[in-house]
Amino acid sequence: MGTPEFAVESLRILVENGCQVVAVVTQPDKPVGRHASTLHQPPVKQYALQQGLPVLQPEKMRDPAFIQELEAYHADLFVVVAFRMLPEVVWNMPRFGTFNVHAALLPQYRGAAPINWAIINGEKQTGVTTFFLDHDIDTGRIIMQKPFDIPDDADVEYVYNGLMQLGAEICMETVEAIAQADGQLSTHDQSLMIPEGNELHGAPKIFKETCRINWKQPMARIHNFVRGLSPIPGAWTTFTHEGGVQQTMKIYKTSLSSRRWADVPVGGVICEGKQMFVAVEDGSVVVESMQLAGKKRMDTKDFLNGFHDDGQWMMV
């Protein structure tokens, strides 16, 4: 059970290692295009059809017809990777249960956007976890974990690709362990894995307003925020120029500078040569890649070549 590209690698490794995948469950096709007249198949469906696997696409997971069809496959195990919440009638159906591949080291970063929030919070390491589903989200008994280091300049794309491969590996190893244990697998209670006094970070779903940059904070936090949302959905700000004209600007890549101009307020923009500096509390953030609303993404030096305005620029 899965939908995006992230889940395809786990399905692929199961197929290529001879697991008997009896069916695939994914989201319904999504309307795309200017008039929503074209249906786009989820990546998992595209791969499943290439392999000749039956595909189920329920609108509602509690639909009696879907439940009946699912039961008819008599699957021993359900594998969930980047999918939606399942009702108990589904996750409790197979005799070996249902496990999920989660892109974080649980119990940290429970929720819908673990990769984004780990980078936003400046984590040096994340990983993947497999756990059995139960009644609460991302709280089930842990089966396996694998760590993954996050370089200081890594963005979501880098970590996503790394965890996608690592997630496929742990998925295969978990299936093998469950099969060998014949239902008697040793697991770990998450509640016993939280050191006393340690804060648990959540990973809630990210919305547009979540992605707005707050320039009134230390530059390292702004840098982590930008790379934690790059390239999708993208951190954004309001760019003010030419006597108060405002445009939305997405920022995809930044670096940090200790330079600070005493007469420039927080959010003020200084352009020197082919560089754009945004003044913040403890230095300046160098904008390296950006996109004005309605325009293409570009390197800042290319933007400055074609954008001429001698007025005061501000990011707010």
Side-chain angles (χ1 to χ4, degrees), residues 25-310:
V25 182
T26 190
Q27 297 276 42
D29 295 355
K30 184 178 180 181
V32 296
R34 187 172 182 179
H35 302 291
S37 57
T38 303
L39 289 177
H40 175 74
Q41 297 178 342
V44 162
K45 178 181 179 179
Q46 295 175 31
Y47 177 78
L49 293 179
Q50 291 170 10
Q51 302 302 313
L53 299 173
V55 177
L56 286 65
Q57 296 179 274
E59 291 283 350
K60 297 180 179 179
M61 298 301 291
R62 297 180 185 272
D63 182 349
F66 165 68
I67 299 297
Q68 185 177 12
E69 187 176 8
L70 195 61
E71 287 177 329
Y73 284 103
H74 302 292
D76 295 306
L77 178 68
F78 289 168
V79 180
V80 180
V81 186
F83 197 50
R84 53 179 145 169
M85 287 182 59
L86 303 182
E88 182 176 1
V89 67
V90 173
W91 58 255
N92 201 32
M93 187 183 298
R95 67 188 183 107
F96 289 154
T98 299
F99 79 82
N100 179 262
V101 178
H102 186 73
L105 296 176
L106 292 173
Q108 294 288 2
Y109 296 103
R110 295 167 174 162
I115 298 176
N116 301 93
W117 287 108
I119 300 173
I120 289 171
N121 289 334
E123 300 287 0
K124 302 296 185 183
Q125 188 179 73
T126 184
V128 288
T129 302
T130 53
F131 67 95
F132 284 115
L133 266 63
D134 63 12
H135 292 93
D136 298 315
I137 299 175
D138 298 338
T139 60
R141 295 185 66 85
I142 287 176
I143 306 166
M144 293 183 185
Q145 292 188 313
K146 286 180 178 285
F148 181 85
D149 293 334
I150 305 176
D152 291 339
D153 61 348
D155 61 10
V156 171
E157 185 174 33
Y158 174 89
V159 179
Y160 180 98
N161 289 336
L163 294 186
M164 180 168 60
Q165 301 300 324
L166 198 62
E169 293 176 17
I170 200 172
C171 177
M172 188 66 235
E173 292 177 18
T174 300
V175 169
E176 291 173 339
I178 291 172
Q180 292 169 6
D182 196 30
Q184 303 301 313
L185 190 68
S186 176
T187 57
H188 307 278
D189 186 338
Q190 287 194 43
S191 65
L192 303 178
M193 300 173 65
I194 307 172
E196 188 174 351
N198 277 27
E199 179 185 0
L200 278 185
H201 297 289
K205 186 176 181 179
I206 290 175
F207 299 93
K208 180 180 178 180
E209 197 55 38
T210 312
C211 302
R212 184 165 192 166
I213 300 170
N214 172 17
W215 296 101
K216 296 179 180 179
Q217 57 182 331
M219 59 183 178
R221 292 186 64 180
I222 296 171
H223 176 65
N224 290 339
F225 186 79
V226 169
R227 66 193 184 95
L229 295 168
S230 178
I232 295 174
W236 64 275
T237 185
T238 300
F239 175 52
T240 305
H241 61 97
E242 291 187 298
V245 175
Q246 292 189 344
Q247 289 179 275
T248 298
M249 175 187 285
K250 282 191 174 184
I251 298 178
Y252 295 99
K253 187 177 181 181
T254 60
S255 57
L256 304 178
S257 171
S258 59
R259 297 184 65 180
R260 186 69 173 89
W261 290 261
D263 58 340
V264 178
V266 168
V269 179
I270 303 95
C271 296
E272 289 189 356
K274 300 301 180 183
Q275 287 188 299
M276 178 190 289
F277 300 84
V278 183
V280 296
E281 294 176 353
D282 56 345
S284 55
V285 174
V286 184
V287 178
E288 297 187 3
S289 178
M290 43 68 67
Q291 179 182 19
L292 281 178
K295 304 294 184 179
K296 294 181 179 180
R297 176 178 173 175
M298 63 180 70
D299 292 338
T300 300
K301 60 181 178 61
D302 296 325
F303 167 75
L304 294 176
N305 281 337
F307 195 88
H308 303 289
D309 177 7
D310 296 329

